[in-house]
Amino acid sequence: MSFSCWLLCIYSLWLKVSPAESKSWDAEVPQSVIGLEGSCVVIPCLFNYPGTDRQASQFTGIWSTVSNENVYHSTASKISKTFEHRTSLLGNLNQRNCSLKIDHLRHADSGQLMFRVEIADFDKYSFHQSKVSITIKDSPGQPTLSIPEEISSRKRVTASCIVYHSCPSNPPNFTWSHKGTVSTQSLQQTNGQWKMTSSLNFIPSKTDHKKALSCTAVFQGGKKGTDMTTLEVKYPPENVSVISKDSVAEGSTANMTCSSDSNPAPHTYHWFSEAGILLSEGHTFILKNVSRHIGTIYCAAINTEGHTNSSPTQLNVLYPPEIKAGLSCTLGASGMTCQFAIDSHPASEIKLWGADPSSELQTREEKHGTLTIVTLQVALGFSDTVHCQATNSQGNYTLNLQVPYNPEPNNSMLLYISYAATSIFVMIMIVGFSVWIIKRCRRTEAPLTLQPKMEMNASSQYEPKRKCTDLNPSYDGSEHVYGNMALDDPYAEEYPYEYASEYEETYANV
């Protein structure tokens, strides 16, 4: 509030209808005022004098103690050293306002004060009957914090903090522990005090529940006053969840509880199946004869502020091993492969053996949820009974499996036919390729050219397979001439070159 505003308030409060002419001297001041050390105090004052209004230049205002020590004087040089530079006359004497301000209060300022007015060329008067008592305190009055009785999350609310003080020119500053919009208002009281109100407008949330809300008033001189309250914020259910045992055996009973965080506590709980069918009402839900095929379950918590559903919950149902599929065997190149599935939760420890229990058969296992796919590989011709044992924490299961000698005959027949066809095709390819190579080699040999040859001795060990005849009977052995020798073969004339390539020599040296 500005200086002119609060001064006008003082004047409006204390000034009564001033008659054009008064019959007596009198002053209106509070009997006592309270000031804070280090701050200031304002003493409201209105006075009357006989006669008509005078000019302002004719007035001299004086405030003094009962020991006649000048607290304030219109002539500054006449003010006591104790109050020098600390007092001022706020009121306008021409308007009969004699309000006094004392700044930077000290404990020594305590005591009674009275006002005296001197009117030039008229009269002067001390208002002994209208003394005011000043009390200086060490600590300020505590603020008073108030909030609505009911606060809901996400709904705007206003909190108020009120404090009284005696220094309107330097009112206290307010600080709040919560963010929001702050506004202030100041009202003058009848005893030299001012009522200061600070309002905080904010939207609370669930996180504000049980938190402290405080306002602090800082007065002139640095002294503080604080008030605090705990927020009670209402909010709908949050963090709704289903609580149950970590696991439950199939066929037993499961106890489930709907948990939530809300204020106030939920007054109703609903339980629903995966399909949204209402199963039960109440904080706790008892499910009898639990099955591994039970679907998900969720609950809803409801209070005056709203309702919230939990996430779907799947019970962890435990059950012993069970063979889910019969033995299935297929024939391969490396042997026979057999597969079967075991369903259990938790997963089972699986052991397979043949005639000798101490010799386990090697298997391969694959996990698919609660199913375990077991693969067994045996050599061709294996025909024996395989013993399978699956064990978990809920029990065990033993099964004797007969591995067939010829599994899936249709597949085996097709496999054999495939093998035979492949073998025949390979043999045909080899024979055909060999014939082609031989003919290719014969056609690519160069034809022999008849030309004279050097004489050489025929080996006595060589005996031709065909009979030779002399084509030149006149040869007497004296001439150095080669005689043509013809093979005694009916095909020799028709295919001379072919036979020439078949033997090393076409013409023999004689």
Side-chain angles (χ1 to χ4, degrees), residues 203-235:
I203 299 177
S205 65
K206 179 255 180 182
T207 57
D208 293 324
H209 182 55
K210 295 298 182 183
K211 278 191 176 181
L213 175 66
S214 65
C215 74
T216 301
V218 182
F219 295 82
Q220 182 188 20
K223 294 189 176 181
K224 301 178 181 180
T226 301
D227 194 12
M228 182 182 301
T229 187
T230 301
L231 294 175
E232 292 287 337
V233 181
K234 294 183 178 181
Y235 54 93

Side-chain angles (χ1 to χ4, degrees), residues 242-245 254-258 271 279 282-287 290 297 313 315:
V242 175
I243 298 178
S244 63
K245 290 184 178 180
N255 294 328
M256 291 172 280
T257 303
C258 191
W271 293 86
L279 301 176
H283 191 205
T284 302
F285 175 45
I286 300 176
L287 180 62
V290 176
I297 296 174
T313 300
L315 289 177

Side-chain angles (χ1 to χ4, degrees), residues 430-444:
I430 293 174
V431 171
F433 185 71
S434 300
V435 172
W436 180 82
I437 290 295
I438 292 174
K439 289 184 176 182
R440 182 70 176 174
C441 291
R442 288 177 179 178
R443 292 177 181 176
T444 56

